[in-house]
Amino acid sequence: MTTATADERLARVGLLRRLLIRPELGAVVGAVVVFGFFASQSEVFRSPSGIANWLDPAATLGIMAVAIALLMIGGEFDLSAGVMTGTTGLILVTLATRYGFNVWLAMLVGLAVALAVGYANGLMVTRTRLPSFIVTLGTFLMLQGINLGVTKALTGTVQVSGLARASGFDSARALLAGTIEIGGTSYRVAILWWLAVTAVATWVLMRSRAGNWIFAVGGNEQAARAVGVPAGRTKIALFMTTAGAAWLVGSILALRYTSVQANIGIGQEFIYIIAAVIGGCLLTGGYGSAIGAAIGAVIFGMADKGIVFLGWDADWFKFFLGAMLLLATLTNRLVRRYAEEVKH
């Protein structure tokens, strides 16, 4: 009697093979190498205060990188994400300082505007079939113009300040931009927000139906539609998620510095994408992880502050960005190819 071949979906896969096909593998290895290098060269870098120092920029970058990773897994880009952090921060500070809004109410208005822009981006992409690169580039330029034009019209400068005097500032700052003491070292509360965003995004991707939809529309949108996946709604929700993350980061930065410049966030959108790519996301969509994007942000934070601790010229950071992008892209391609071979 012939024995039936076991279903390949039930086949046991070894631990090493499971690790090798994880999208964040390259980011983990890169983080260990970067930490080991700077820690061996600088005692301050590996001290608790040093760790708090480089986790701070990693946190705000990581919140955005995780949201951008979800969008990239869904097969789209958002070039307006960076300038959106400035837009929401300007809304918060302007409403609270010039029109007497409570800080919490001003933040809600900023959230509503961000979600509306995200919805508009998603709707434009899904209805017109235009590349998200073009749609969000247009949004980027419009928001940049609004930020500069409105700020100059209201203040005569490119900055709005004075948030510390607004009602509700202390409680909002404590929740979003305060610090916590751990072992005698102060850490930014934003780190906790970053961890929470990463945990929620990971759960959505790995444990929810929405996560299946994200991977499906990013891998093959037409096939996803054919099996009943609401591709349009999924992509709109992803653009709104990115906008919501930009609102959170914009609010954190505004509450931290109590002022906002009209050009804040411009150029950061590429940093978010690079962090997501370093974390294992493919530019073609359908592959990646939230944890990988968070680790990519850690690498940026370590390099950003590590170069300063070593007394190097800050221009070397740009070289590092380019090198990491190329290495991550090559690594992701190899890992993806290996993953496909394992499946077959």
Side-chain angles (χ1 to χ4, degrees):
M1 184 173 63
T2 303
T3 304
T5 303
D7 190 333
E8 65 174 354
R9 292 173 298 179
L10 303 179
R12 298 182 63 85
V13 179
L15 175 61
L16 178 59
R17 179 167 290 185
R18 289 203 304 270
L19 291 175
L20 288 175
I21 63 175
R22 290 300 304 167
E24 62 270 11
L25 173 65
V28 172
V29 173
V32 171
V33 171
V34 172
F35 177 83
F37 172 75
F38 285 114
S40 66
Q41 301 295 315
S42 171
E43 183 178 347
V44 176
F45 179 87
R46 62 179 183 267
S47 68
S49 61
I51 293 174
N53 199 287
W54 51 257
L55 279 180
D56 179 25
T60 50
L61 170 59
I63 291 171
M64 287 305 307
V66 167
I68 290 295
L70 296 182
L71 184 62
M72 290 180 64
I73 294 170
E76 305 294 348
F77 295 93
D78 189 350
L79 297 184
S80 66
V83 73
M84 178 62 75
T85 63
T87 300
T88 54
L90 286 169
I91 291 173
L92 166 58
V93 181
T94 300
L95 292 180
T97 59
R98 302 189 70 85
Y99 297 99
F101 278 53
N102 182 279
V103 168
W104 290 102
L105 180 57
M107 286 173 57
L108 287 177
V109 174
L111 176 60
V113 171
L115 294 178
V117 173
Y119 178 82
N121 281 338
L123 190 65
M124 182 74 73
V125 170
T126 56
R127 292 291 177 86
T128 66
R129 303 294 181 181
L130 288 172
S132 55
F133 177 90
I134 298 298
V135 172
T136 57
L137 178 60
T139 305
F140 162 81
L141 294 172
M142 289 188 289
L143 289 178
Q144 183 181 7
I146 290 173
N147 290 355
L148 290 168
V150 173
T151 304
K152 286 182 179 180
L154 292 177
T155 67
T157 67
V158 293
Q159 178 175 303
V160 184
S161 58
L163 185 60
R165 298 188 296 271
S167 62
F169 170 78
D170 291 335
S171 58
R173 181 184 175 91
L175 181 64
L176 295 177
T179 59
I180 54 174
E181 293 286 333
I182 300 178
T185 302
S186 295
Y187 294 85
R188 293 283 188 179
V189 173
I191 297 172
L192 299 181
W193 285 100
W194 169 39
L195 295 176
V197 168
T198 303
V200 171
T202 300
W203 180 86
V204 169
L205 282 177
M206 306 306 297
R207 301 294 181 183
S208 73
R209 179 182 297 178
N212 293 332
W213 292 347
I214 293 170
F215 281 108
V217 298
N220 189 322
E221 183 177 348
Q222 296 305 318
R225 289 181 183 276
V227 297
V229 173
R233 283 185 294 163
T234 300
K235 291 196 174 187
I236 290 174
L238 289 173
F239 278 105
M240 294 179 70
T241 299
T242 302
W247 164 80
L248 177 58
V249 171
S251 299
I252 289 173
L253 296 178
L255 290 166
R256 180 180 299 181
Y257 300 117
T258 70
S259 65
V260 178
Q261 289 194 343
N263 61 353
I264 189 173
I266 296 175
Q268 287 295 108
E269 56 279 344
F270 295 109
I271 305 298
Y272 306 150
I273 293 173
I274 293 172
V277 171
I278 290 175
C281 291
L282 294 180
L283 298 176
T284 52
Y287 189 77
S289 78
I291 293 177
I295 297 173
V298 172
I299 293 175
F300 276 90
M302 290 192 293
D304 184 27
K305 298 303 179 182
I307 288 173
V308 175
F309 291 152
L310 295 185
W312 293 359
D313 191 313
D315 291 336
W316 282 106
F317 182 65
K318 298 297 183 182
F319 173 84
F320 172 84
L321 292 185
M324 287 300 299
L325 176 61
L326 291 176
L327 289 173
T329 303
L330 291 172
T331 301
N332 293 346
R333 184 178 182 181
L334 294 174
V335 171
R336 179 61 173 171
R337 182 178 300 173
Y338 181 78
E340 291 174 348
E341 292 176 355
V342 169
K343 290 180 181 179
H344 294 90

